[in-house]
Amino acid sequence: MKNVTDSFVFLGHWPSAGSFGFNTDILSTNLINLSVVLGVLIFFGKGVLSDLLDNRKERILSTIRNSEELRGKAIEQLEKARARLKKVETEADQFRVNGYSEIEREKMNLINSIYKTLEQLENYKNETIQFEQQKAINQVRQRVFQQALEGALGTLNSCLNNELHLRTINANIGMLGTMNEITD
């Protein structure tokens, strides 16, 4: 290690007249070296740095433009979505109102249908009752008539002879036929 330090010290004592050498004075050489390095960097690096900054600036501006375009598209899509939502809500409200009115209409139709059916059933019931009453009345009439006829025949059989008996039977059969025609 001592050899390396000695060689730098030895190089530092070279005469500076017309030759290139190392100055080992730290305070004076750092400012000069720093200013030379900065000067070279500024002179040669100015174009590169400027190009890098311009490229970076363009990328940032491009990114901002793209972001603005995306933001605009997003706002446009949001507005379209809001419009669709509003339309769907309007349609839903309309369906709801139509549904309620349709339900009410169906309810009224059902009530009317049930009322008509009940009226028809009431009419059928009344007709059936009248039919059964008429049937019962006819049965009672026939039974009364049959009993009266049997009683009359019994009385006639005990009181009449055969010839009178046959004429009475024929007359009663004629009256019975006439009564059946009237009741039918």
Side-chain angles (χ1 to χ4, degrees), residues 140-153:
V140 168
R141 280 182 187 168
Q142 284 179 350
R143 184 79 172 150
V144 167
F145 180 72
Q146 188 177 12
Q147 286 177 355
L149 188 60
E150 286 174 2
L153 283 176

Side-chain angles (χ1 to χ4, degrees), residues 87-106:
K87 181 181 175 185
V88 167
E89 285 176 343
T90 304
E91 288 176 357
D93 289 340
Q94 189 176 12
F95 284 137
R96 192 176 304 118
V97 168
N98 289 343
Y100 288 144
S101 63
E102 184 68 24
I103 289 170
E104 287 297 319
R105 189 170 31 254
E106 288 297 322

Side-chain angles (χ1 to χ4, degrees), residues 20 31 54 56 65 69 72 82 84 110 125 141:
F20 179 76
L31 290 177
D54 287 343
R56 180 69 178 148
R65 279 192 294 267
E69 287 176 14
R82 283 182 180 162
R84 280 188 298 219
L110 184 62
K125 179 190 83 168
R141 280 182 187 168

Side-chain angles (χ1 to χ4, degrees), residues 24-163:
T24 57
D25 186 11
I26 290 177
L27 292 177
S28 66
T29 57
N30 278 341
L31 290 177
I32 294 170
N33 288 337
L34 189 58
S35 61
V36 169
V37 169
L38 285 177
V40 169
L41 283 177
I42 290 173
F43 182 75
F44 290 110
K46 183 168 84 171
V48 173
L49 186 61
S50 176
D51 288 343
L52 288 174
L53 290 176
D54 287 343
N55 287 341
R56 180 69 178 148
K57 179 181 173 184
E58 285 300 317
R59 281 187 289 184
I60 290 171
L61 290 176
S62 174
T63 303
I64 290 172
R65 279 192 294 267
N66 289 341
S67 296
E68 287 295 323
E69 287 176 14
L70 290 174
R71 180 180 168 268
K73 288 178 183 178
I75 289 173
E76 184 178 317
Q77 288 177 348
L78 178 64
E79 291 301 320
K80 286 180 183 178
R82 283 182 180 162
R84 280 188 298 219
L85 177 64
K86 193 173 197 178
K87 181 181 175 185
V88 167
E89 285 176 343
T90 304
E91 288 176 357
D93 289 340
Q94 189 176 12
F95 284 137
R96 192 176 304 118
V97 168
N98 289 343
Y100 288 144
S101 63
E102 184 68 24
I103 289 170
E104 287 297 319
R105 189 170 31 254
E106 288 297 322
K107 181 174 129 183
M108 292 307 294
N109 288 342
L110 184 62
I111 289 172
N112 290 336
S113 174
I114 290 172
Y115 181 73
K116 287 178 183 177
T117 303
L118 287 174
E119 281 182 352
Q120 289 175 346
L121 289 174
E122 185 70 24
N123 290 338
Y124 293 149
K125 179 190 83 168
N126 291 337
E127 289 174 5
T128 304
I129 289 172
Q130 287 176 348
F131 176 75
E132 291 297 325
Q133 283 176 344
Q134 191 65 35
K135 185 177 171 184
I137 289 172
N138 287 338
Q139 286 176 349
V140 168
R141 280 182 187 168
Q142 284 179 350
R143 184 79 172 150
V144 167
F145 180 72
Q146 188 177 12
Q147 286 177 355
L149 188 60
E150 286 174 2
L153 283 176
T155 304
L156 282 177
N157 281 337
S158 64
C159 297
L160 297 176
N161 62 14
N162 280 344
E163 185 183 316

